[in-house]
Amino acid sequence: MTHLRTRAVHAGQHPDPVTGAITTPITQSSAFNYGTLERGAAIFAGEAEGYRYSRFGNPTVAALEAKMADLEGAQAAVAFGSGTAVTSSLLLGLLKPGDEIAFLGPLYGGTEGLFRSLGERFGIKAVDATHSGLAACLTPATRMVWVETLTNPGLRLHDLAEVAALAQARGILTVADNTFCTPCLTRPLELGIDLVMHSMTKYLGGHGDATGGVVAGAAALVAAVRKTGLGHVGGNLSPQEAFLFLRGIKTLPLRMAAHCAGAAAVAEFLAAHPAVRAVHYPGLTSHPQHALAQRQLQGGFGGMVTFELLRNERAAAAQVLNALQLFTQAVSLGDVDSLACHPASTTHSFVSPEARAAAGISEGMIRLSVGIEHPDDLIADLAQALQPLA
Ligand code: 3LM
């Protein structure tokens, strides 16, 4: 199985030995019969293979972990109940008081908020390296570098191979949040990044019906995150949700192709619209990192399009968003349905107005998650919503 499209269908899937079921069954059991005290003791000591309790591991969840490890080219993966549970487990599992985490953003508002509140409460300092550059922000205390493969909501890129090389030379761990790109567009581990994480709630699930997260990388690192995140934090994914992700991922490459084609058409339309001041889409030649995007993203430039209105006011954004009929006004992204949101008042309302300004998140900014509907219908919806501002 060399092609991602094939692996998305088959990886992690084995016909059920008892029933022959092709689809991985939902193993809805909190505990597992280990039979004898001796076998139970061996499983708990890590000396024998076997399930014991679904907080530590579950067959449906394990199938999903195997699929994601395969797609990201990792030795191992561990799944969680949300992307945020991954982030907190990475901090609590791999860092200690006195350590620093340098991030290249701007990041999803919830991630930056978590670094600043949970991280700093436990003595972990978060350093924003976005504007000063990573090299200038690394200190002897830096233990982790965090980067989004396409930033939320500005859709900027960082050169992942460069970030990995810089950190590796100093023995610093690197984590890439690949939520916006998915392994269809970029595989950070192949570029030297140590750990890749996702909010599976988005493209991996793809249907807006489940929350989950996953992190993949070297077995020893993943084991440490598993021990803290599942054993101590209890952030495990439920088997029902794991089933939805297993099903969603089978069509991920097909969906991503449709998202990318739709987003490219929407971005072109918006770029030519008189009511629009700027369009942020890495596939446009006007994107400041278009060359890096061509190098780092494969097979498309993603399904997200962020744009700014000429009238840079919340009222103008409200006028457009409230007039949309096909796009649903909601946070989240990566669903087959198209979604639209106002980052300043929603996804990034947790960060200070100063941080929003520094990140370029203006009041007239609108973020679109382009679904798999026909692009002509999406463009017609945007055209009617923007028309009063033209
Ligand atoms: C959003 N983002 O609408 P969960 N990493 C990235 C993300 O975009 C997100 C997470 C991690 C959005 C969610 S905002 C209230 C809704 C790049 C989430 C966190 O814990 O699964 O939501 O993942 O941008």
Side-chain angles (χ1 to χ4, degrees):
M1 294 197 288
T2 51
H3 296 280
L4 200 80
R5 225 171 108 167
T6 309
R7 284 153 49 209
V9 175
H10 291 278
Q13 180 171 285
H14 307 285
D16 185 65
V18 178
T19 64
I22 299 164
T23 303
T24 305
I26 302 172
T27 304
Q28 196 69 38
S29 187
S30 50
F32 297 85
N33 172 18
Y34 43 73
T36 64
L37 184 150
E38 290 80 0
R39 183 155 181 273
I43 290 174
F44 269 79
E47 291 158 4
E49 290 279 312
Y51 295 99
R52 44 189 164 148
Y53 188 57
S54 278
R55 172 156 52 82
F56 301 117
N58 169 282
T60 317
V61 177
L64 171 64
E65 291 168 343
K67 194 185 274 298
M68 280 311 298
D70 184 289
L71 296 186
E72 287 288 8
Q75 285 177 348
V78 55
F80 287 89
S82 70
T84 304
V86 173
T87 308
S88 52
S89 299
L90 282 164
L91 256 63
L92 297 172
L94 300 176
L95 302 181
K96 58 179 189 331
D99 287 350
E100 291 182 9
I101 178 166
F103 66 87
L104 285 165
L107 299 180
Y108 163 56
T111 303
E112 186 170 343
L114 189 158
F115 287 168
R116 299 216 180 276
S117 59
L118 181 103
E120 296 198 353
R121 187 133 41 89
F122 286 86
I124 297 160
K125 189 175 164 200
V127 179
D128 184 349
T130 311
H131 301 294
S132 38
L134 190 55
C137 293
L138 300 179
T139 76
T142 313
R143 290 266 70 83
M144 185 180 276
V145 168
W146 192 284
V147 58
E148 286 181 359
T149 54
L150 255 184
T151 66
N152 181 359
L155 304 176
R156 294 301 166 104
L157 292 91
H158 298 282
D159 188 321
L160 297 180
E162 218 171 73
V163 169
L166 196 65
Q168 208 168 45
R170 294 164 173 79
I172 299 168
L173 274 178
T174 45
V175 179
D177 181 338
N178 202 19
T179 300
F180 274 41
C181 289
T182 83
C184 296
L185 303 189
T186 186
R187 286 179 295 283
L189 302 185
E190 289 175 3
L191 300 171
I193 296 287
D194 295 306
L195 288 162
V196 56
M197 67 83 68
H198 290 271
S199 166
M200 294 195 292
T201 316
K202 314 294 166 17
Y203 288 105
L204 298 180
H207 296 74
D209 52 14
T211 65
V214 69
V215 56
L221 281 175
V222 170
V225 181
R226 177 184 288 278
K227 187 172 176 187
T228 302
L230 302 185
H232 301 150
V233 179
N236 55 293
L237 181 70
S238 85
Q240 302 254 4
E241 311 271 276
F243 174 85
L244 292 171
F245 292 119
L246 281 166
R247 183 164 69 168
I249 293 166
K250 288 191 180 199
T251 57
L252 176 69
L254 302 181
R255 286 187 284 107
M256 277 317 279
H259 287 300
C260 290
V266 163
E268 293 282 356
F269 163 76
L270 290 171
H273 200 283
V276 174
R277 178 162 61 95
V279 181
H280 307 285
Y281 186 66
L284 293 177
T285 50
S286 59
H287 189 285
Q289 296 159 305
H290 181 61
L292 174 60
Q294 282 179 309
R295 214 165 61 237
Q296 199 160 275
L297 308 181
Q298 292 146 23
F301 297 97
M304 302 297 293
V305 180
T306 299
F307 68 101
E308 294 178 71
L309 297 169
L310 204 56
R311 247 181 70 203
N312 186 15
E313 300 157 15
R314 185 171 290 202
Q319 197 179 335
V320 174
L321 284 163
N322 295 346
L324 288 169
Q325 287 167 7
L326 194 49
F327 281 85
T328 301
Q329 261 196 85
V331 294
S332 203
L333 56 117
D335 297 356
V336 289
D337 305 44
S338 288
L339 306 172
C341 79
H342 180 243
S345 63
T346 60
T347 54
H348 290 71
S349 59
F350 311 114
V351 297
S352 65
E354 299 75 41
R356 275 203 299 277
I361 303 170
S362 62
E363 285 294 330
M365 177 181 271
I366 292 174
R367 187 189 79 176
L368 302 176
S369 172
V370 177
I372 63 166
E373 304 94 334
H374 198 290
D376 290 353
D377 293 329
L378 297 174
I379 289 169
D381 192 27
L382 287 163
Q384 65 78 24
L386 285 164
Q387 201 273 327
L389 267 70

